[in-house]
Amino acid sequence: MNILGYLQKIGRALMVPVATLPAAAIMMGIGYWIDPNGWGSGSAAAAFLIKAGAAIIDNMSILFAVGVAYGMSKDRDGAAALAGLVGYYVLTTLLSPGAVAQIQGIAPELVPKAFSKINNQFVGILTGVIAAELYNRFSQVELHKALSFFSGRRLVPIITSFAMILVAFVLMAVWPLIYNGLVAFGLSIKDLGAGGAGIYAFFNRLLIPVGLHHALNSVFWFDVAGINDIPNFLGAAKSLAEGKAVLGVTGMYQAGFFPIMMFGLPGAALAIYHTAKPANRERVASIMIAAGFASFFTGVTEPLEFSFMFVAPLLYVLHALLTGVSVFIAASMHWIAGFGFSAGLVDMVLSSRNPLAKDWYMLIVQGGVFFLVYYFGFRTAITAFNLKTPGREDDESASSQEPSVAQAGGISALAQAYVKVVGGAANIVNVDACITRLRLTVRDADQVDAGAAKALGASGVIKLNRENVQIIVGPTAELIADSLRKHLNAAPGGQTVSSPASVPAPSGAPAQTVLLAPVTGEVVALEDVPDAAFSSKAVGDGLAIRPTGRLVVAPCDGKLANIFSTNHAFSLVTDSGAEIIVHIGVDTVKLAGQGFKRLIQPGGMVKAGQAVLELDLEYLAANAVSTLSPVVLTNADEFGALSAVASGPVVAGQTVLYRFAPL
């Protein structure tokens, strides 16, 4: 994966722990509404809520370690999260001031101050990334039979703990330099006061198109460079008492966003509507009303920003400049409000009674001014430069964005339509989502049809490079991503994804058979199976799976022709005459049925995803020559080449293993 793609992956993973902040903001916001003058001292209910929210804020570094490890793991497994937690505790314990003094043989007072700040979000992120990479590399490793209990996912926390010892020795030398550098960077901006806040806000908006604003936010919002603006603001009275917060200063990297998100961008939406061609205004109104309301109420701005970001980049630069100006003004005037999610009405109401909120109502006055600035600024620029904002496109471009049948069919139909938009199932490597955008890894970004995506309602399409594409779809991104994965993997029962590589087939062409993974695990090439009959493809063509799941299911609809007496393999015959063999492990016939449990009798019809066998993975790992399990088409000479061949992790009864059709 290229560097930009990897940074995207980290940014996406950061949203997992950040997603806990709204819970903290809601609990603490309600707590301060009950008791705004103290840290819950005047009300048991307020204390309960505030302390509950503080439990999240005070442990953000741990949440980053766990959340990033989980978010970056290849199959988002809990073992990766556990490895992140183990790694974090090992690393921070070894780098605590007392441990450093003992290891280096120096007096405690000589330990650099940086080690007293080792429990911070940067270290949490670093630990999470390392733990995820170790999980992705070692979660499928099979050890010697004597150590088989520690194979696979159980091995990852062990390796992570040892790896963190090495990381600790490295950081013992370089951590003071890293920490001091981060602090110096943060302070260089912080020392600029309101000007620095404005500079941060300007770049915050400029990085939105490539999704790297999360990395910048970490420096100012969390304890990466000693600023920690959001946690300190939410901590309120406690932060004040501990000297971590300053009234009128803490929150200055947040407050100026409220006038932009609640008022400025809705003003821009109104300008876009008024400058649209009369024939297109009804269509534009539906888009702008929804996007403007989302920005005002929740602070989710991307659907609106992406509506003009690429068609009128001049407007987006103007928007970034005005955001910087707004944050600068709010910070200069010490008008302070904060948020746990984004700068919308919900967060403004929740933060208004926070002891660190100062003259927050003036942000509404400022917002009214920015509504006018955005409205007239955008309207003037659009008309003066004839910018092709929504509703002002050429006729053929405008017509292509009419609501489609797929939109009317709901999330499932929309997701299936996106399969075609991105070049078909064969072009998709990975699907993920981040609040408002689909984040896709593809084989060839040139196959992604940006115009067709916009016709489905997308606000914009970003082709970062030939492999990484983002489609801005709004707050339904996660729902669409989930449905898209289901379409790609094919639901149990043999439903297939409509794509140029499969369905619909040309008139008269034979229908394809979709073979699902019969067991959860990791795909391995058939040539790597330590059995000559399978590796030479003498038995047939296909793939092998290193199983991590216990349940073995039918990979497609058909007749369960046979289950071997030792239960280590079964054969299936489809309506098209395809003969499939699922063989669990190598030379497992010698186990005489040990390690296998038959769940169904042969001779009848089965549906894709129907359970056939249950495995004792520990026994098989300790006693089989190998657990690699071939899944082969034995009469491959009667069918064309396998297509949509899977790689990486697969899920039983869900992931498409491969497809084939009669010659």
Side-chain angles (χ1 to χ4, degrees):
M1 182 180 291
N2 54 64
I3 294 176
L4 183 58
Y6 194 77
L7 290 175
Q8 284 282 325
K9 188 177 180 181
I10 294 176
R12 183 170 62 243
L14 284 172
M15 295 310 298
V16 177
V18 168
T20 63
L21 282 176
I26 291 171
M27 288 187 289
M28 301 182 86
I30 296 174
Y32 284 121
W33 263 91
I34 297 172
D35 180 18
N37 298 316
W39 195 55
S41 57
S43 167
F48 195 86
L49 289 166
I50 293 172
K51 288 179 183 293
I56 296 173
I57 298 301
D58 294 344
N59 293 289
M60 281 303 297
S61 55
I62 298 175
L63 296 178
F64 270 77
V66 173
V68 170
Y70 171 81
M72 289 189 67
S73 62
K74 59 186 177 183
D75 53 2
R76 297 204 171 192
D77 191 84
L82 177 62
L85 183 63
V86 169
Y88 178 83
Y89 280 132
V90 170
L91 185 60
T92 55
T93 298
L94 291 175
L95 293 181
S96 62
V100 171
Q102 186 175 2
I103 293 170
Q104 295 186 350
I106 59 177
E109 59 269 18
L110 298 178
V111 175
K113 182 181 178 181
F115 290 107
S116 65
K117 299 289 185 179
I118 199 64
N119 296 297
N120 66 72
Q121 280 88 340
F122 176 82
V123 172
I125 295 169
L126 176 65
T127 304
V129 170
I130 294 173
E133 291 301 327
L134 292 174
Y135 174 85
N136 293 340
R137 172 64 180 83
F138 295 106
S139 62
Q140 302 295 331
V141 168
E142 293 186 26
L143 300 178
H144 186 272
K145 293 180 182 179
L147 299 172
S148 61
F149 177 80
F150 300 106
S151 295
R153 290 175 172 83
R154 294 189 184 96
L155 182 63
V156 179
I158 299 172
I159 292 178
T160 302
S161 60
F162 280 99
M164 287 305 158
I165 295 175
L166 298 178
V167 174
F169 274 108
V170 173
L171 287 183
M172 205 168 288
V174 303
W175 171 244
L177 299 176
I178 295 174
Y179 180 78
N180 292 335
L182 289 170
V183 172
F185 170 71
L187 291 178
S188 67
I189 298 296
K190 185 177 181 181
D191 289 345
L192 295 176
I199 292 171
Y200 153 68
F202 171 70
F203 284 104
N204 169 279
R205 291 295 97 181
L206 282 188
L207 287 173
I208 286 281
V210 292
L212 296 179
H213 53 298
H214 298 307
L216 181 67
N217 291 343
S218 296
V219 176
F220 295 89
W221 286 352
F222 304 113
D223 197 18
V224 170
I227 297 175
N228 215 30
D229 207 45
I230 289 180
N232 282 342
F233 182 89
L234 292 177
K238 180 185 178 185
S239 298
L240 282 168
E242 295 177 353
K244 297 177 180 178
V246 178
L247 184 63
V249 174
T250 300
M252 71 175 179
Y253 297 101
Q254 305 167 67
F257 285 99
F258 284 98
I260 299 299
M261 297 181 178
M262 291 179 61
F263 300 97
L265 282 171
L270 184 61
I272 291 172
Y273 166 74
H274 280 159
T275 54
K277 296 177 181 179
N280 297 330
R281 284 184 180 172
E282 183 177 352
R283 172 176 61 85
V284 173
S286 64
I287 297 172
M288 291 298 124
I289 289 173
F293 181 77
S295 181
F296 173 79
F297 192 74
T298 67
V300 175
T301 61
E302 288 177 315
L304 184 47
E305 289 170 324
F306 277 90
S307 71
F308 63 84
M309 181 185 293
F310 297 108
V311 296
L314 174 65
L315 291 182
Y316 195 77
V317 174
L318 175 62
H319 166 50
L321 286 170
L322 289 175
T323 302
V325 171
S326 176
V327 173
F328 168 75
I329 292 173
S332 298
M333 302 303 294
H334 304 291
W335 299 335
I336 301 295
F339 49 80
F341 173 64
S342 192
L345 178 64
V346 173
D347 273 285
M348 172 168 276
V349 171
L350 288 173
S351 73
S352 61
R353 301 267 286 184
N354 188 301
L356 285 171
K358 183 176 183 295
D359 299 331
W360 60 271
Y361 48 85
M362 291 302 298
L363 295 173
I364 299 176
V365 177
Q366 181 182 336
V369 174
F370 270 82
F371 177 90
L372 297 175
V373 170
Y374 265 77
Y375 175 76
F376 288 108
F378 270 54
R379 184 162 186 166
T380 300
I382 290 170
T383 54
F385 296 101
N386 193 26
L387 301 177
K388 300 298 183 182
T389 48
R392 293 175 60 85
E393 313 94 332
D394 296 332
D395 290 340
E396 61 269 20
S397 175
S399 63
S400 70
Q401 296 190 39
E402 291 297 327
S404 66
V405 175
Q407 286 175 282
I411 295 295
S412 180
L414 192 58
Q416 192 163 0
Y418 272 116
V419 175
K420 297 180 181 180
V421 165
V422 300
N427 193 42
I428 301 174
V429 177
N430 185 60
V431 177
D432 216 323
C434 176
I435 301 181
T436 59
R437 61 182 79 187
L438 296 175
R439 295 175 180 260
L440 307 175
T441 303
V442 298
R443 290 184 172 85
D444 183 5
D446 289 341
Q447 294 187 37
V448 178
D449 188 338
K454 291 181 180 179
L456 291 177
S459 301
V461 176
I462 310 167
K463 298 181 181 181
L464 297 169
N465 48 45
R466 292 193 67 83
E467 298 176 350
N468 296 281
V469 176
Q470 297 179 4
I471 303 178
I472 314 307
V473 296
T476 58
E478 190 67 47
L479 295 175
I480 295 175
D482 287 342
S483 188
L484 188 56
R485 293 188 197 100
K486 292 177 182 177
H487 282 298
L488 291 172
N489 293 336
Q495 295 177 357
T496 58
V497 180
S498 177
S499 75
S502 55
V503 178
S507 178
Q512 286 196 330
T513 297
V514 173
L515 205 71
L516 306 181
V519 63
T520 298
E522 187 85 10
V523 169
V524 177
L526 203 58
E527 292 83 353
D528 294 335
V529 176
D531 183 292
F534 285 113
S535 62
S536 66
K537 298 189 178 181
V539 177
D541 198 4
L543 293 172
I545 300 175
R546 180 179 286 111
T548 57
R550 296 179 179 274
L551 204 61
V552 183
V553 304
C556 61
D557 295 351
K559 181 179 180 181
L560 187 59
N562 185 33
I563 299 179
F564 286 65
S565 60
T566 51
N567 294 330
H568 72 287
F570 62 87
S571 61
L572 201 70
V573 179
T574 70
D575 290 341
S576 62
E579 298 171 1
I580 310 295
I581 285 184
V582 178
H583 193 288
I584 304 300
V586 173
D587 218 14
T588 44
V589 66
K590 294 181 179 179
L591 300 180
Q594 291 293 312
F596 303 96
K597 180 181 179 181
R598 184 182 299 192
L599 302 177
I600 190 175
Q601 295 303 316
M605 301 300 293
V606 292
K607 286 287 188 180
Q610 187 172 345
V612 178
L613 301 173
E614 185 176 352
L615 309 179
D616 184 340
L617 291 177
E618 288 75 14
Y619 179 85
L620 294 177
N623 295 280
V625 173
S626 171
T627 60
L628 288 181
S629 302
V631 184
V632 298
L633 173 62
T634 61
N635 54 343
D637 55 331
E638 300 176 19
F639 295 83
L642 305 184
S643 63
V645 178
S647 62
V650 292
V651 178
Q654 295 184 27
T655 309
V656 174
L657 197 60
Y658 52 80
R659 294 185 174 96
F660 54 86
L663 291 173

